[in-house]
Amino acid sequence: MKIERIEAIPYSIPYAKPLKFASGQVTEADHVLIRVHTDEGIVGTADTPPRPYTYGETQDSIVSVVTKIFAPAVVGLDPMDRQKIHAILSRTIHNQTAKGGLDIALWDIIGQAANAPVSSLLGGYTDAMDVSHMLGFQPAQKLLDEALRFRSDYGINTFKLKVGRRPLALDIEACHVLREGLGQDTELYLDANRGWTANEAMEVLRQTDGLGLSLLEEPCDAKEAMSRRRLVDKSPIPVVGDESVPTAGDVSRELLSGGCNAISIKTARSGFTEAQQILGLCTGLGVDVVMGNQIDTQIGTVATVTFGAAHEATSRRAGELSNFLDMSDDLLAEPLVIKDGKISVRQVPGVGAAIDEAKLAQYRQDNK
Ligand SMILES: [Mg+2]
């Protein structure tokens, strides 16, 4: 089997409810759909979400690097030869989601060729993942209303609260209101997207002591090495690296230097191949992982479930899988369902990301 051509299709779908957080705001899913075509008619599909404020990639840059740099170098290769392809992709630095999308599309081809779900090929640990829902910036009472609604509508009982605001009292109040309103049996954790200094994060930990928060993600910029290490050392809960650790090399550096002691794995920026390398590092060192969300569409979420359910360590915690609910529409032909707080692995060959072609025609940006 040979890679015949690669499409990178820019598309845009508005959010019904924009997500606001410390490092940015998302009002439209202006993503790129990657399709890797083979000479045997099998097509691998993946979604790439540009996050300009986090990784510097844009919709245009993803289309450009995929079609002008990566595609010419890998067309003609066998999609099974992932290491050969990765050796070529890694000659170009950064461009994490472009590389991640290509990797997932290759795995989708391999699963379809083997007539097996990719989740089984990756590890086959379980057939569903618990869902964690992400709460963006809103007044405390609105946050609680949303959490209660998601708990009753979808059975979701784990919530990640976006924090990193100033004055700190805004987020501290939100933590107290959520804990009081949700009770002790709901998992609550924080993600500051580098919005605070390490000392501010320490102050928030002091003022939320006793609330049973489980994780603190990216409290400050990991480059502020000295204060960050002090925070990680003193924090009573694990400090999760997210945007500071997009690659396996970054994960090694941050864990070994004490910049974090838990890791967010995101298939959108690691693909499945590097995500497995990251997972191996974490399990080898005894470090907790959480399956993170790159504000994914349903296509991206299918990929996260595929990887997360495949391994014991990634399915232990609830994965961040519900952001697609805030979108006004999606490209996936068969919509995802959250039931009893879980999303099931698709028991179909490949990743299970069949596209609704009419919707793609409606939302694509390259035919206007
Ligand atoms: Mg994060």
Side-chain angles (χ1 to χ4, degrees), residues 160 162 191 193 217-218 242-243 264 266 320:
K160 169 195 253 193
K162 288 290 197 185
D191 182 2
N193 290 102
E217 186 170 310
E218 220 67 273
D242 176 10
E243 51 265 48
S264 174
K266 292 182 173 175
E320 295 156 12

Side-chain angles (χ1 to χ4, degrees), residues 45 108 299 302 331-334 346 348 351-357:
T45 303
D108 191 24
I299 309 167
V302 163
L331 298 183
L332 208 58
E334 189 194 326
R346 303 207 141 169
V348 297
V351 172
I355 298 300
D356 182 322
E357 294 298 333

Side-chain angles (χ1 to χ4, degrees), residues 23 60 97 112 117 186 192 240 308 319 329 333:
S23 54
D60 288 345
T97 65
Q112 292 176 61
T186 296
V240 184
D329 204 354

Side-chain angles (χ1 to χ4, degrees), residues 22 137 163-171 194-201 204 219-220 224:
F137 288 177
V163 292
R165 292 180 288 181
R166 294 184 177 112
L168 305 181
L170 284 172
D171 291 330
R194 301 161 284 144
W196 293 324
T197 65
N199 287 338
E200 285 174 324
V204 172
C220 56
E224 294 161 9

Side-chain angles (χ1 to χ4, degrees), residues 162-353:
K162 288 290 197 185
V163 292
R165 292 180 288 181
R166 294 184 177 112
L168 305 181
L170 284 172
D171 291 330
I172 293 165
E173 184 204 2
C175 292
H176 283 271
V177 167
L178 282 168
R179 176 53 79 210
E180 193 157 313
L182 293 168
Q184 293 302 316
D185 295 335
T186 296
E187 183 177 355
L188 268 179
Y189 60 106
L190 309 182
D191 182 2
N193 290 102
R194 301 161 284 144
W196 293 324
T197 65
N199 287 338
E200 285 174 324
M202 200 88 83
E203 181 58 27
V204 172
L205 285 175
R206 261 195 295 273
Q207 294 199 38
T208 55
D209 192 30
L211 294 184
L213 302 174
S214 58
L215 301 166
L216 173 60
E217 186 170 310
E218 220 67 273
C220 56
D221 196 323
K223 292 197 183 86
E224 294 161 9
M226 190 172 170
S227 59
R228 170 89 167 216
R229 280 175 215 170
R230 180 168 164 269
L231 171 67
V232 171
D233 198 42
K234 301 230 178 280
S235 172
I237 55 176
V239 174
V240 184
D242 176 10
E243 51 265 48
S244 61
V245 291
T247 69
D250 296 318
V251 170
S252 308
R253 184 198 63 235
E254 289 303 313
L255 287 176
L256 293 175
S257 69
C260 60
N261 48 14
I263 294 293
S264 174
I265 297 179
K266 292 182 173 175
T267 54
R269 68 180 177 214
S270 307
F272 296 153
T273 303
E274 190 161 24
Q276 273 194 324
Q277 293 165 1
I278 290 170
L279 179 60
L281 277 170
C282 293
T283 50
L285 291 167
V287 163
D288 273 19
V289 296
V290 58
M291 289 308 298
N293 191 311
Q294 201 66 58
I295 320 179
D296 290 306
T297 60
Q298 294 193 28
I299 309 167
T301 305
V302 163
T304 305
V305 173
T306 293
F307 186 89
H311 313 89
E312 193 273 336
T314 47
S315 56
R316 207 182 293 154
R317 285 183 174 282
E320 295 156 12
L321 304 168
S322 62
N323 277 93
F324 69 85
L325 293 169
D326 291 336
M327 291 176 64
S328 62
D329 204 354
D330 205 279
L331 298 183
L332 208 58
E334 189 194 326
L336 276 182
V337 177
I338 301 177
K339 193 164 177 278
D340 300 328
K342 290 177 187 291
I343 296 181
S344 295
V345 172
R346 303 207 141 169
Q347 299 302 330
V348 297
V351 172

Side-chain angles (χ1 to χ4, degrees), residues 7-118:
E7 286 181 286
I9 305 168
Y11 69 92
S12 183
I13 299 177
Y15 272 82
K17 179 171 146 318
L19 184 73
K20 206 170 168 203
F21 44 97
S23 54
Q25 177 173 348
V26 172
T27 54
E28 306 240 315
D30 45 4
H31 294 194
V32 180
L33 185 73
I34 304 274
R35 294 213 272 205
V36 178
H37 297 260
T38 66
D39 61 351
E40 295 186 7
I42 296 176
V43 181
T45 303
D47 196 43
T48 56
R51 294 288 162 255
Y53 36 77
T54 312
Y55 309 113
E57 286 177 286
T58 64
Q59 196 178 42
D60 288 345
S61 82
I62 291 173
V63 170
S64 191
V65 79
V66 169
T67 57
K68 292 180 185 161
I69 307 291
F70 294 151
V74 303
V75 163
L77 295 178
D78 186 331
M80 301 281 183
D81 296 342
R82 291 188 323 286
Q83 291 299 316
K84 210 181 273 180
I85 294 168
H86 277 287
I88 293 168
L89 301 187
S90 66
R91 294 196 303 233
T92 302
I93 62 163
H94 305 312
N95 293 284
Q96 280 305 125
T97 65
K99 293 176 189 171
L102 282 170
D103 182 72
I104 291 168
L106 293 176
W107 275 101
D108 191 24
I109 291 169
I110 291 164
Q112 292 176 61
N115 198 31
V118 171

